[in-house]
């Protein structure tokens, strides 16, 4: 019986009517499979000259020529995967023909009720699961995102115009996945893993689901290895460790992407795979970024996943998960990965669009589809794996755009609560020329000095405290003309530190360079240098060390704190350079 008490109907389609014996065998099969109350009706279909098709509700047994060929093709593909790659195809087909026996496989099908804006509503798929991939007659794939009593809501991964009302939909029983492999390094791909850089197909090693559980606590180890960004402000005061999730947050056009790109450039020669996920951006912007990375040799270890502003919301929605899947492939092989999501504000907008088109709430009421869960299940996959799991890591730098610096808005607070710290970029600092425009007071790294080298940690000293005091004093004294000498010295010292932290794009600094610059600055060497000459001091002093004291590279070791003697030597070299270079 069906749910409403009626008898279950089954239809047998074939070119000619079956004999009584054959008909009775069909009835016996249906009674055994679906119950004694199932009724069978024969329908003539002249397109089925050979074979038949049996339909029982949403289940279809297709023993037509095309149906049997599809079964054989699937069987042959399974054999290919099981056999060694060097085996000839012709013997493989011969073996398959000898051993293959058609099976009575029920294929669950449904019908498209409506399709619009990249969303298809489908009836008949009673057993479809959330996140399952559906296959439409046109070859377009879709993913189940809404389950209702009478229908299923599906987002489409392709041209929605190819899906029409009344067409057939088939379950695949598989969740969304994508191909992964080492050959993806250096390529630009879309959210489905297909190349979009015009350089041909990409050989893949395996398929991985784009949704995967985050590593458990047992499978992780503490974040204690630095991932150097090359940006003095960040590496000195807000260090990022391998496996950490550090949010980059700020208004539009304040240098968020610039920080991420500089972090990618600084990984050159450090055996780190970088993945840049562009969500909802202009094609021209992503193209320029790829050109910049290529020009500086960074595409040799970088993968760019692009789902542009012109792509459907469904592709923008899965893009960060696709990038994360690639990252997990390398992490599970013991590699270190840096992944950047640029940006999750647009990702949330894409998800909201899908939710509204699916006629459901886009907010927290729609669990497990609420926005917090959307981003937490993505960012929790970043980890530093235990040595037993290979010791690989994936460090995530999500980017979020604020409106008028409002970090208390819904999406920013969500992601702040998920991540291990945030780098807040301030409008006022950016337009005053302080770049990167990092707000010292609102930025934080919850991993802290655990992910910092001992040498840099000892060089940083009271830097953050000195800068905080300077910012406070600057506010209180901006309207005062009569300042005592002590206050004036503190302001001059603080201003010198702020100018020291200014850094041009594409000019990352090594840990050694950061260490010696901070040691000199905190040794009060910059106090009598005009602020407009501090940049010249930085470049000149580093060149001076290379010329006069190259042995410092060996003395300043990352795993050893600076001794008082070594600090004094660096300060003396800085004083000597200052006096000889006429910078005062």
């Amino acid at each position: 019986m069906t749910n409403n008490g009626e008898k279950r109907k089954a239809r047998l389609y074939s070119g000619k009517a079956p004999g009584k014996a054959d008909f009775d065998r069909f009835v016996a099969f249906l009674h055994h499979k679906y119950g004694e109350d199932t009724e069978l009706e024969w329908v003539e279909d002249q397109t089925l000259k050979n074979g038949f098709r049996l339909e029982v509700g949403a289940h279809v047994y297709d023993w037509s020529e095309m149906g049997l060929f599809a079964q054989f093709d699937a069987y042959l593909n399974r054999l290919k995967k099981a056999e060694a790659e060097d085996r000839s195809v012709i013997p493989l087909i011969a073996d398959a023909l000898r051993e293959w026996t058609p099976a009575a496989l029920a294929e669950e099908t449904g019908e498209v009720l409506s399709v619009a804006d990249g969303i298809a509503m489908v009836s008949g798929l009673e057993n479809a699961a959330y996140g399952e991939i559906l296959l439409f007659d046109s070859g377009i794939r879709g993913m189940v995102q809404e389950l209702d009593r009478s229908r299923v809501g599906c987002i489409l991964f392709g041209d929605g115009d190819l899906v029409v009302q009344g067409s057939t939909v088939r379950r695949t029983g598989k969740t969304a996945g994508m191909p992964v492999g080492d050959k993806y390094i250096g390529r630009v791909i879309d959210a489905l893993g297909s190349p979009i850089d015009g350089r041909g197909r990409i050989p893949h090693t395996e398929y991985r689901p784009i949704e995967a559980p985050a590593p458990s606590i047992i499978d992780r180890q503490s974040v204690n290895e630095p991932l150097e960004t090359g940006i003095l402000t960040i590496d000195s005061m807000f260090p990022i460790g391998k496996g950490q999730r550090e949010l980059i947050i700020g208004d539009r056009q304040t240098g968020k992407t610039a920080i991420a790109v500089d972090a990618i450039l600084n990984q050159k020669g450090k055996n780190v795979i970088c993945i840049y996920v562009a969500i909802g951006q202009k094609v021209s912007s992503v193209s320029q970024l790829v050109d910049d990375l290529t020009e500086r040799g960074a595409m040799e270890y970088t993968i760019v996943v692009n789902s542009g502003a012109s792509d459907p919301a469904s592709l923008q929605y899965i893009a960060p998960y696709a990038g994360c899947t690639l990252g997990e492939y390398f992490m599970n092989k013991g590699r270190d990965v840096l992944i950047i999501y640029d940006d999750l504000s647009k990702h949330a907008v894409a998800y909201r669009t899908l939710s509204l088109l699916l006629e459901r709430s886009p907010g927290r009421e729609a669990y497990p589809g609420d926005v917090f869960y959307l981003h937490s299940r993505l960012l929790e996959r970043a980890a530093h794996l235990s040595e037993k799991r290979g010791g690989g890591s994936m460090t995530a730098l999500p980017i979020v755009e604020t409106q008028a610096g409002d970090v208390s808005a819904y999406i920013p607070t969500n992601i702040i609560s998920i991540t291990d710290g945030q780098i807040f970029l301030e409008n006022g600092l950016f337009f005053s020329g302080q770049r990167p425009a990092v707000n010292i007071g609102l930025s934080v790294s919850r991993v802290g000095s655990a992910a910092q080298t001992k040498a840099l940690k000892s060089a940083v000293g009271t830097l953050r405290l000195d800068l905080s005091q300077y910012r406070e004093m600057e506010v209180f004294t901006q309207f005062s003309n009569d300042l005592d000498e002590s206050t004036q010295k503190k302001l001059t010292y603080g201003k010198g530190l702020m100018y020291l932290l200014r850094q041009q794009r594409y000019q990352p600094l090594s840990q050694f360079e950061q260490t010696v610059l901070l040691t000199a600055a905190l040794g009060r060497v910059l106090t009598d240098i005009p602020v407009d000459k501090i940049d010249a001091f930085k470049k000149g002093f580093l060149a001076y060390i290379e010329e006069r004291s190259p042995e410092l590279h060996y003395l300043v070791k990352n795993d050893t704190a600076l001794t008082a003697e070594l600090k004094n030597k660096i300060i003396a070299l800085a004083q000597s350079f200052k006096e000889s270079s006429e910078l005062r």
Side-chain angles (χ1 to χ4, degrees):
M1 291 281 183
T2 58
N3 291 336
N4 56 12
E6 297 178 358
K7 287 191 174 183
R8 189 185 301 274
K9 299 285 186 182
R11 290 184 174 84
L12 176 65
Y13 296 85
S14 62
K16 60 181 180 179
K20 185 177 185 308
D22 289 335
F23 192 86
D24 288 344
R25 279 199 293 270
F26 278 117
V27 171
F29 168 75
L30 292 171
H31 287 177
H32 173 74
K33 185 80 174 178
Y34 297 100
E36 298 285 337
D37 55 346
T38 307
E39 291 184 349
L40 178 62
E41 173 190 1
W42 173 71
V43 179
E44 184 177 3
D45 187 347
Q46 288 301 320
T47 62
L48 300 174
K49 298 290 185 184
N50 298 307
F52 63 86
R53 189 174 72 253
L54 179 64
E55 294 184 359
V56 189
H59 291 175
V60 177
Y61 298 85
D62 192 350
W63 273 44
S64 64
E65 288 180 338
M66 292 303 296
L68 292 175
F69 179 78
Q71 267 199 53
F72 178 74
D73 184 54
Y75 176 73
L76 187 60
N77 284 331
R78 287 197 297 273
L79 276 184
K80 284 180 183 177
K81 290 180 181 177
E83 296 290 339
E85 291 182 2
D86 58 352
R87 185 172 177 189
S88 175
V89 174
I90 294 176
L92 192 65
I93 295 175
D95 289 351
L97 287 170
R98 273 197 307 272
E99 299 171 6
W100 176 65
T101 303
L105 299 174
E107 189 177 39
E108 190 171 344
T109 63
E111 181 182 337
V112 177
L113 296 175
S114 63
V115 57
D117 299 317
I119 302 291
M121 293 296 179
V122 179
S123 66
L125 301 180
E126 298 175 358
N127 299 310
Y130 184 86
E132 182 179 354
I133 291 296
L134 304 181
L135 186 63
F136 293 81
D137 273 350
S138 60
I140 297 295
R141 289 179 292 167
M143 184 166 67
V144 176
Q145 283 290 288
E146 181 71 9
L147 299 172
D148 205 345
R149 291 182 181 275
S150 58
R151 64 180 187 175
V152 168
C154 176
I155 61 176
L156 302 177
F157 299 143
D159 187 358
D161 293 338
L162 300 177
V163 179
V164 296
Q165 184 178 357
S167 60
T168 304
V169 189
R170 291 174 173 79
R171 286 186 61 199
T172 64
K174 301 175 181 178
T175 56
M178 67 172 291
V180 295
D182 292 348
K183 298 297 184 182
Y184 277 82
I185 299 174
R187 301 298 299 272
V188 183
I189 61 173
D190 64 15
L192 299 176
S194 302
I196 55 175
D197 53 8
R199 292 168 52 195
R201 63 180 294 273
I202 306 173
H204 63 272
T205 305
E206 60 180 276
Y207 279 87
R208 294 183 63 92
I210 62 169
E211 294 270 15
S216 66
I217 295 174
I218 300 298
D219 292 329
R220 298 173 184 250
Q221 61 176 303
S222 60
V223 176
N224 51 24
E225 293 181 31
L227 187 133
E228 302 162 12
T229 65
I231 300 171
L232 182 59
T233 308
I234 295 173
D235 290 345
S236 61
M237 292 181 284
F238 316 106
I240 298 171
K242 292 179 179 178
Q244 189 175 342
R245 301 150 300 175
E246 183 81 359
L247 172 63
I248 301 174
I249 185 169
D251 284 5
R252 184 174 176 273
Q253 298 292 324
T254 51
K256 301 185 296 297
T257 302
I259 285 179
V261 171
D262 279 351
I264 291 176
L265 295 177
N266 197 53
Q267 304 316 309
K268 190 169 186 177
K270 296 179 181 175
N271 200 27
V272 176
I273 303 298
C274 299
I275 302 173
Y276 178 84
V277 183
I279 309 164
Q281 296 189 38
K282 293 184 295 184
V283 174
S284 59
S285 300
V286 179
S287 178
Q288 181 61 53
L289 181 138
V290 172
D291 288 344
D292 289 342
L293 293 177
T294 304
E295 182 183 338
R296 291 165 176 81
M299 280 303 290
E300 296 171 5
Y301 53 87
T302 303
I303 304 168
V304 175
V305 182
N306 180 37
S307 183
S310 59
D311 286 350
S314 55
L315 293 180
Q316 295 183 37
Y317 163 68
I318 69 163
Y321 299 104
C324 189
T325 300
L326 275 167
E328 283 179 328
Y329 166 76
F330 292 105
M331 176 177 70
N332 290 330
K333 291 179 68 176
R335 304 286 298 274
D336 293 318
V337 179
L338 170 65
I339 186 165
I340 292 147
Y341 304 110
D342 192 5
D343 64 69
L344 292 187
S345 304
K346 293 184 178 70
H347 184 235
V349 170
Y351 177 73
R352 182 176 184 273
T353 301
L354 291 178
S355 294
L356 293 173
L357 290 170
L358 288 165
E359 300 175 8
R360 72 182 185 198
S361 167
R364 299 184 70 86
E365 298 82 3
Y367 186 86
D370 70 292
V371 179
F372 182 87
Y373 181 62
L374 182 78
H375 291 143
S376 65
R377 73 177 191 261
L378 170 70
L379 295 172
E380 286 292 339
R381 291 162 71 177
H384 187 188
L385 296 181
S386 64
E387 294 301 327
K388 188 177 180 181
R389 286 283 305 274
S393 71
M394 181 160 63
T395 308
L397 296 183
I399 295 176
V400 167
E401 184 179 304
T402 55
Q403 303 292 329
D406 184 11
V407 294
S408 64
Y410 181 55
I411 300 299
T413 51
N414 272 352
I415 301 179
I416 285 172
S417 66
I418 297 167
T419 52
D420 307 311
Q422 69 276 346
I423 297 166
F424 179 68
L425 303 181
E426 186 183 321
N427 253 334
L429 287 172
F430 183 84
F431 293 118
S432 69
Q434 185 70 30
R435 300 174 188 179
V438 179
N439 182 305
I440 308 299
L442 293 180
S443 301
V444 66
S445 172
R446 296 187 183 96
V447 173
S449 58
Q452 197 171 39
T453 63
K454 291 180 180 178
L456 187 57
K457 186 177 176 181
S458 58
V460 169
T462 60
L463 175 64
R464 190 169 182 183
L465 178 62
D466 292 346
L467 287 171
S468 298
Q469 289 177 343
Y470 163 72
R471 290 298 301 276
E472 267 188 47
M473 194 176 295
E474 184 186 35
V475 171
F476 282 110
T477 60
Q478 61 182 324
F479 300 113
S480 176
N481 293 323
D482 186 19
L483 299 177
D484 61 86
E485 186 179 351
S486 173
T487 304
Q488 189 65 53
K489 283 183 178 179
K490 288 180 180 178
L491 286 172
T492 304
Y493 169 65
K495 195 170 186 179
L497 291 179
M498 291 295 288
Y499 271 76
L500 178 77
L501 296 177
R502 292 188 178 190
Q503 199 167 335
Q504 298 298 316
R505 290 189 69 177
Y506 313 132
Q507 294 181 11
L509 296 170
S510 68
Q511 289 274 312
F512 170 77
E513 291 171 335
Q514 294 178 11
T515 301
V516 296
L517 285 174
L518 286 174
T519 302
L522 293 172
R524 309 280 171 159
V525 175
L526 305 179
T527 49
D528 54 351
I529 298 177
V531 290
D532 59 342
K533 293 185 177 179
I534 286 180
D535 193 50
F537 169 83
K538 287 163 59 177
K539 294 175 183 176
F541 177 49
L542 294 175
Y544 185 79
I545 286 179
E546 293 294 331
E547 180 186 343
R548 296 293 181 90
S549 190
E551 73 280 0
L552 271 180
H553 280 282
Y554 304 99
L555 296 175
V556 178
K557 297 177 181 178
N558 288 338
D559 58 350
T560 308
L562 297 180
T563 61
E565 182 184 353
L566 197 52
K567 283 185 178 182
N568 290 334
K569 182 173 183 177
I570 294 171
I571 293 169
L573 280 168
Q575 289 283 10
S576 173
F577 168 71
K578 182 177 68 172
E579 291 167 1
S580 64
S581 58
E582 300 180 356
L583 287 173
R584 289 179 293 178

